[in-house]
Amino acid sequence: HLHSDEEIQYYFEKCIKDVNFKVLELSQRHEENWGMATTVVMAYLHDGQLYILNVGDSRAYILRDGVLTQVTEDHTYVNSLVKAGLITAEEAEHHEKRNMITRAVGAEHRIEADFFVVSVALGDRILICTDGLHGEVKEDDITEILCKEETMTDICEELVEIAKAKGGHDNITMVVVEVTEEDINE
């Protein structure tokens, strides 16, 4: 078992380096895989803490008391423009290069991931997802569905259906977890 924040971060970073090497190797070994790369978001819940690593534009959110908060930050060209104050968040939603990522697994030999540690509370709901969800469904709609008194499976299925109905232009992948007493007191 990993216990300290440093041990967990080291483990996450070792995993992502190993995966990055494997994806890069496969993309260079087989011509049909040339240029292959991907995004990733990883989460580990332990002793009341949520540990998250991300590369690219896959996201992690926490829903607490009906408020959805994005934990991760997108590694995209458009997000860098927003951070620099060159465009607004509203302009970013419709920017022609909104899907251009600036960091990806398997894109380069060296990988740079973001790592977050967030305290969680009983009843929090954690959503990790690809842009097939957050790129199609507005955060207000995601929040409304995450607040429902349904199973996590039913919530995921409803979110997938809405993303498909909104266009379903990309891979729609997600995990939803509700924090229980066991997660707080491990």
Side-chain angles (χ1 to χ4, degrees):
H1 281 291
L2 304 170
H3 296 291
S4 72
D5 291 359
E6 293 77 20
E7 286 176 312
I8 294 167
Q9 182 172 0
Y10 175 80
Y11 178 75
F12 269 37
E13 289 177 351
K14 182 183 182 319
C15 288
I16 202 68
K17 284 177 185 171
D18 291 348
V19 170
N20 186 66
F21 176 78
K22 189 69 175 172
V23 172
L24 190 60
E25 179 186 44
L26 288 170
S27 73
Q28 292 174 343
R29 185 184 305 159
H30 305 288
E31 188 176 334
E32 67 271 19
N33 294 340
W34 188 86
M36 174 175 73
T38 190
T39 68
V40 68
V41 59
M42 299 169 29
Y44 174 60
L45 192 54
H46 175 70
D47 200 19
Q49 298 290 99
L50 177 64
Y51 300 87
I52 298 170
L53 177 141
N54 82 296
V55 178
D57 61 354
S58 290
R59 293 180 179 175
Y61 294 91
I62 294 180
L63 177 82
R64 178 176 295 161
D65 298 328
V67 177
L68 188 66
T69 304
Q70 182 179 334
V71 177
T72 55
E73 185 174 296
D74 293 351
H75 302 139
T76 61
Y77 172 71
V78 167
N79 191 48
S80 64
L81 296 178
V82 173
K83 285 174 57 178
L86 298 173
I87 64 171
T88 66
E90 291 74 27
E91 290 170 324
E93 287 182 24
H94 306 289
H95 197 282
E96 61 183 16
K97 295 184 178 178
R98 67 185 174 277
N99 294 324
M100 182 187 293
I101 57 175
T102 55
R103 294 190 215 170
V105 177
E108 298 177 17
H109 286 281
R110 187 173 174 275
I111 188 163
E112 187 180 348
D114 288 345
F115 183 75
F116 304 89
V117 183
V118 182
S119 294
V120 293
L122 186 63
D124 284 356
R125 289 187 174 177
I126 299 159
L127 166 66
I128 60 174
C129 64
T130 61
D131 67 334
L133 176 67
H134 69 75
E136 299 285 359
V137 184
K138 293 190 181 305
E139 283 191 10
D140 288 349
D141 295 331
I142 294 173
T143 302
E144 182 180 330
I145 292 164
L146 283 174
C147 287
K148 290 186 175 184
E149 292 297 322
E150 296 180 358
T151 67
M152 301 304 102
T153 301
D154 288 344
I155 286 172
C156 286
E157 288 175 357
E158 189 169 346
L159 288 169
V160 167
E161 289 307 313
I162 290 175
K164 285 168 41 179
K166 297 276 187 180
H169 297 102
D170 208 338
N171 171 18
I172 307 164
T173 306
M174 74 193 75
V175 174
V176 179
V177 175
E178 185 168 56
V179 176
T180 66
E181 283 189 34
E182 289 178 3
D183 300 316
I184 303 293
N185 302 313
E186 280 187 74

Coordinates of all heavy atoms in Angstrom, one line a residue, residues 123-173:
G123 N -20.2 11.7 0.7 CA -21.3 12.1 -0.3 C -20.8 12.8 -1.5 O -21.6 13.0 -2.5
D124 N -19.5 13.3 -1.5 CA -19.0 13.8 -2.8 C -19.1 12.8 -3.9 O -19.0 11.6 -3.7 CB -17.5 14.2 -2.6 CG -17.2 15.4 -1.8 OD1 -18.2 16.1 -1.4 OD2 -16.0 15.7 -1.5
R125 N -19.3 13.3 -5.1 CA -19.3 12.5 -6.3 C -18.1 12.9 -7.1 O -18.0 14.1 -7.4 CB -20.6 12.6 -7.0 CG -21.7 11.9 -6.2 CD -23.0 11.7 -6.9 NE -23.9 10.9 -6.1 CZ -25.2 10.7 -6.5 NH1 -25.7 11.2 -7.6 NH2 -25.9 9.9 -5.7
I126 N -17.4 12.0 -7.6 CA -16.2 12.2 -8.4 C -16.5 11.7 -9.8 O -17.0 10.6 -10.0 CB -15.0 11.5 -7.8 CG1 -14.7 11.9 -6.4 CG2 -13.7 11.6 -8.7 CD1 -13.9 11.0 -5.6
L127 N -16.2 12.6 -10.8 CA -16.4 12.3 -12.2 C -15.0 12.4 -12.9 O -14.4 13.5 -12.8 CB -17.4 13.2 -12.8 CG -17.5 13.2 -14.4 CD1 -18.0 11.9 -14.9 CD2 -18.3 14.4 -14.9
I128 N -14.6 11.3 -13.5 CA -13.4 11.5 -14.4 C -14.0 11.1 -15.8 O -14.7 10.2 -16.0 CB -12.2 10.6 -14.0 CG1 -12.5 9.1 -13.9 CG2 -11.7 11.1 -12.7 CD1 -11.3 8.3 -13.6
C129 N -13.5 11.9 -16.8 CA -14.1 11.7 -18.1 C -13.3 12.2 -19.3 O -12.4 13.1 -19.0 CB -15.5 12.4 -18.2 SG -15.5 14.2 -18.0
T130 N -13.6 11.8 -20.4 CA -12.9 12.3 -21.7 C -13.7 13.5 -22.2 O -14.8 13.7 -21.7 CB -12.8 11.2 -22.7 OG1 -14.2 10.8 -23.1 CG2 -12.0 10.0 -22.3
D131 N -13.2 14.1 -23.2 CA -13.9 15.2 -23.8 C -15.1 14.8 -24.6 O -15.8 15.7 -25.0 CB -12.9 16.1 -24.6 CG -12.4 15.5 -25.8 OD1 -12.3 14.2 -25.9 OD2 -12.0 16.2 -26.8
G132 N -15.2 13.5 -24.8 CA -16.5 13.1 -25.5 C -17.7 13.4 -24.6 O -18.8 13.5 -25.1
L133 N -17.5 13.5 -23.3 CA -18.5 14.0 -22.4 C -18.5 15.5 -22.2 O -19.4 16.2 -22.6 CB -18.5 13.3 -21.0 CG -19.5 13.8 -20.0 CD1 -20.9 13.4 -20.5 CD2 -19.3 13.3 -18.6
H134 N -17.4 16.0 -21.7 CA -17.4 17.5 -21.3 C -17.4 18.4 -22.5 O -17.7 19.5 -22.4 CB -16.3 17.8 -20.3 CG -14.9 17.7 -20.9 ND1 -14.3 18.6 -21.7 CD2 -13.9 16.8 -20.7 CE1 -13.1 18.3 -22.0 NE2 -12.8 17.2 -21.4
G135 N -17.0 17.8 -23.7 CA -17.0 18.6 -24.9 C -18.4 18.7 -25.5 O -18.7 19.6 -26.4
E136 N -19.3 17.8 -25.2 CA -20.6 17.8 -25.7 C -21.7 18.3 -24.8 O -22.7 18.9 -25.2 CB -21.0 16.3 -26.1 CG -20.1 15.7 -27.2 CD -20.3 16.3 -28.6 OE1 -21.2 17.1 -28.8 OE2 -19.6 15.8 -29.5
V137 N -21.5 18.0 -23.5 CA -22.6 18.3 -22.5 C -22.1 19.5 -21.6 O -21.0 19.4 -21.0 CB -22.9 17.1 -21.6 CG1 -24.0 17.3 -20.7 CG2 -23.2 15.9 -22.5
K138 N -23.0 20.5 -21.5 CA -22.7 21.6 -20.6 C -22.6 21.2 -19.2 O -23.2 20.3 -18.7 CB -23.8 22.7 -20.8 CG -23.8 23.3 -22.2 CD -24.7 24.5 -22.2 CE -24.8 25.1 -23.6 NZ -23.6 25.5 -24.2
E139 N -21.7 22.0 -18.4 CA -21.5 21.6 -17.0 C -22.8 21.7 -16.2 O -22.9 20.9 -15.3 CB -20.4 22.5 -16.4 CG -19.0 22.1 -16.9 CD -17.9 22.8 -16.1 OE1 -18.1 23.4 -15.1 OE2 -16.7 22.6 -16.5
D140 N -23.6 22.6 -16.5 CA -24.9 22.7 -15.8 C -25.7 21.4 -15.9 O -26.3 20.9 -15.0 CB -25.8 23.9 -16.3 CG -25.2 25.2 -15.8 OD1 -24.3 25.2 -15.0 OD2 -25.7 26.3 -16.3
D141 N -25.7 20.8 -17.1 CA -26.4 19.6 -17.4 C -25.7 18.4 -16.7 O -26.4 17.5 -16.1 CB -26.5 19.3 -18.9 CG -27.4 20.4 -19.6 OD1 -28.3 20.9 -18.9 OD2 -27.2 20.7 -20.7
I142 N -24.4 18.4 -16.7 CA -23.6 17.3 -16.0 C -24.0 17.4 -14.5 O -24.2 16.4 -13.9 CB -22.1 17.5 -16.3 CG1 -21.8 17.2 -17.7 CG2 -21.3 16.6 -15.3 CD1 -20.4 17.5 -18.1
T143 N -24.0 18.6 -14.0 CA -24.3 18.8 -12.5 C -25.7 18.3 -12.2 O -25.8 17.6 -11.2 CB -24.2 20.3 -12.2 OG1 -22.9 20.8 -12.5 CG2 -24.4 20.5 -10.7
E144 N -26.6 18.6 -13.0 CA -28.0 18.2 -12.7 C -28.1 16.7 -12.7 O -28.8 16.1 -11.8 CB -28.9 18.8 -13.8 CG -30.4 18.4 -13.7 CD -31.3 19.0 -14.8 OE1 -30.9 20.1 -15.3 OE2 -32.3 18.4 -15.1
I145 N -27.5 16.0 -13.6 CA -27.5 14.6 -13.6 C -26.7 14.0 -12.5 O -27.2 13.0 -11.8 CB -27.0 14.0 -15.0 CG1 -28.0 14.5 -16.1 CG2 -26.9 12.5 -15.0 CD1 -27.5 14.4 -17.5
L146 N -25.6 14.5 -12.2 CA -24.8 14.0 -11.0 C -25.5 14.1 -9.7 O -25.2 13.4 -8.8 CB -23.4 14.7 -11.0 CG -22.4 14.3 -12.0 CD1 -21.1 15.2 -11.9 CD2 -22.0 12.8 -11.8
C147 N -26.4 15.1 -9.6 CA -27.2 15.3 -8.4 C -28.3 14.3 -8.2 O -28.9 14.3 -7.1 CB -27.7 16.7 -8.3 SG -26.5 18.0 -8.0
K148 N -28.6 13.6 -9.2 CA -29.8 12.7 -9.1 C -29.5 11.5 -8.1 O -28.4 11.1 -7.9 CB -30.1 12.1 -10.4 CG -30.7 13.1 -11.4 CD -31.1 12.4 -12.7 CE -31.8 13.4 -13.6 NZ -32.4 12.8 -14.8
E149 N -30.6 11.1 -7.4 CA -30.5 10.0 -6.5 C -30.7 8.7 -7.3 O -31.7 8.0 -7.2 CB -31.6 10.1 -5.4 CG -31.4 11.3 -4.5 CD -30.2 11.2 -3.7 OE1 -29.8 10.0 -3.2 OE2 -29.5 12.2 -3.4
E150 N -29.6 8.4 -8.0 CA -29.6 7.2 -8.8 C -28.3 6.5 -8.6 O -27.4 7.0 -8.0 CB -29.7 7.5 -10.3 CG -31.0 8.2 -10.7 CD -31.0 8.5 -12.2 OE1 -30.0 8.3 -12.9 OE2 -32.1 9.0 -12.7
T151 N -28.1 5.2 -9.1 CA -26.9 4.5 -9.0 C -25.8 5.2 -9.9 O -26.2 5.9 -10.8 CB -27.0 3.1 -9.4 OG1 -27.3 3.0 -10.8 CG2 -28.1 2.3 -8.6
M152 N -24.6 5.0 -9.6 CA -23.5 5.6 -10.4 C -23.6 5.0 -11.8 O -23.3 5.8 -12.8 CB -22.1 5.3 -9.8 CG -22.0 5.9 -8.3 SD -22.3 7.6 -8.1 CE -23.9 7.6 -7.4
T153 N -24.0 3.8 -12.0 CA -24.1 3.2 -13.3 C -25.2 3.9 -14.1 O -25.0 4.2 -15.3 CB -24.4 1.7 -13.2 OG1 -23.4 1.0 -12.5 CG2 -24.6 1.0 -14.5
D154 N -26.3 4.1 -13.4 CA -27.4 4.8 -14.1 C -27.0 6.2 -14.5 O -27.4 6.7 -15.6 CB -28.7 4.8 -13.3 CG -29.4 3.5 -13.2 OD1 -29.0 2.6 -14.0 OD2 -30.2 3.3 -12.3
I155 N -26.3 6.9 -13.6 CA -25.8 8.3 -14.0 C -24.9 8.3 -15.2 O -25.1 9.1 -16.1 CB -25.2 8.9 -12.7 CG1 -26.2 9.3 -11.7 CG2 -24.3 10.1 -13.1 CD1 -25.7 9.7 -10.4
C156 N -24.0 7.3 -15.2 CA -23.1 7.2 -16.3 C -23.8 6.9 -17.6 O -23.6 7.6 -18.7 CB -22.0 6.1 -16.1 SG -20.8 6.5 -14.9
E157 N -24.8 6.0 -17.6 CA -25.6 5.7 -18.8 C -26.4 6.9 -19.3 O -26.4 7.2 -20.5 CB -26.5 4.5 -18.5 CG -25.8 3.2 -18.4 CD -26.7 2.1 -18.0 OE1 -27.9 2.3 -17.7 OE2 -26.1 0.9 -17.9
E158 N -26.9 7.7 -18.3 CA -27.7 8.9 -18.7 C -26.7 9.9 -19.4 O -27.1 10.6 -20.4 CB -28.4 9.5 -17.5 CG -29.4 10.6 -17.9 CD -30.3 11.0 -16.8 OE1 -30.4 10.3 -15.8 OE2 -30.9 12.1 -17.0
L159 N -25.6 10.1 -18.8 CA -24.6 11.1 -19.3 C -24.1 10.6 -20.7 O -24.0 11.5 -21.6 CB -23.4 11.2 -18.4 CG -23.6 12.0 -17.1 CD1 -22.5 11.9 -16.1 CD2 -23.9 13.5 -17.4
V160 N -23.9 9.4 -20.9 CA -23.5 8.9 -22.3 C -24.6 9.1 -23.3 O -24.4 9.6 -24.4 CB -23.2 7.4 -22.2 CG1 -23.1 6.8 -23.6 CG2 -21.9 7.1 -21.5
E161 N -25.9 8.9 -22.9 CA -27.0 9.1 -23.8 C -27.1 10.6 -24.2 O -27.4 10.9 -25.4 CB -28.3 8.6 -23.2 CG -28.4 7.1 -23.1 CD -28.1 6.4 -24.5 OE1 -28.6 6.8 -25.5 OE2 -27.3 5.4 -24.5
I162 N -26.9 11.4 -23.2 CA -27.0 12.9 -23.5 C -25.9 13.3 -24.4 O -26.1 14.1 -25.4 CB -27.0 13.7 -22.2 CG1 -28.4 13.5 -21.5 CG2 -26.8 15.2 -22.5 CD1 -28.5 14.2 -20.2
A163 N -24.6 12.8 -24.2 CA -23.5 13.2 -25.0 C -23.7 12.7 -26.4 O -23.4 13.4 -27.4 CB -22.2 12.6 -24.4
K164 N -24.3 11.5 -26.6 CA -24.5 10.9 -27.9 C -25.6 11.8 -28.6 O -25.5 12.1 -29.8 CB -25.0 9.5 -27.8 CG -23.8 8.6 -27.5 CD -24.2 7.1 -27.2 CE -25.2 6.5 -27.9 NZ -25.4 5.1 -27.4
A165 N -26.6 12.2 -27.9 CA -27.7 13.0 -28.4 C -27.2 14.4 -28.9 O -27.7 15.0 -29.8 CB -28.9 13.1 -27.4
K166 N -26.2 14.9 -28.2 CA -25.6 16.2 -28.5 C -24.7 16.2 -29.7 O -24.1 17.2 -30.1 CB -24.9 16.8 -27.3 CG -25.8 17.0 -26.1 CD -26.5 18.4 -26.2 CE -27.2 18.7 -24.9 NZ -27.9 19.9 -24.9
G167 N -24.4 15.0 -30.2 CA -23.5 14.9 -31.3 C -22.6 13.7 -31.3 O -22.3 13.1 -32.3
G168 N -22.2 13.3 -30.1 CA -21.3 12.1 -29.9 C -20.1 12.1 -30.9 O -19.8 11.1 -31.5
H169 N -19.5 13.3 -31.0 CA -18.4 13.4 -32.0 C -17.1 12.7 -31.5 O -16.1 12.6 -32.3 CB -18.1 14.9 -32.2 CG -19.3 15.6 -32.9 ND1 -20.1 16.4 -32.2 CD2 -19.7 15.5 -34.1 CE1 -21.1 16.8 -33.0 NE2 -20.9 16.3 -34.2
D170 N -17.0 12.3 -30.3 CA -15.7 11.7 -29.8 C -16.0 10.6 -28.8 O -17.2 10.3 -28.4 CB -14.9 12.8 -29.1 CG -13.4 12.6 -29.1 OD1 -13.0 11.4 -29.3 OD2 -12.7 13.6 -28.9
N171 N -15.0 9.8 -28.5 CA -15.0 8.8 -27.5 C -15.6 9.3 -26.2 O -15.2 10.3 -25.7 CB -13.6 8.2 -27.3 CG -13.5 7.3 -26.2 OD1 -14.5 6.7 -25.7 ND2 -12.3 7.1 -25.7
I172 N -16.7 8.6 -25.7 CA -17.3 9.1 -24.5 C -17.0 8.1 -23.4 O -17.6 7.0 -23.3 CB -18.9 9.2 -24.6 CG1 -19.2 10.0 -25.8 CG2 -19.5 9.7 -23.4 CD1 -20.7 9.8 -26.3
T173 N -16.1 8.4 -22.5 CA -15.6 7.5 -21.5 C -15.7 8.3 -20.1 O -15.3 9.4 -20.0 CB -14.2 7.1 -21.7 OG1 -14.1 6.5 -23.0 CG2 -13.7 6.1 -20.7

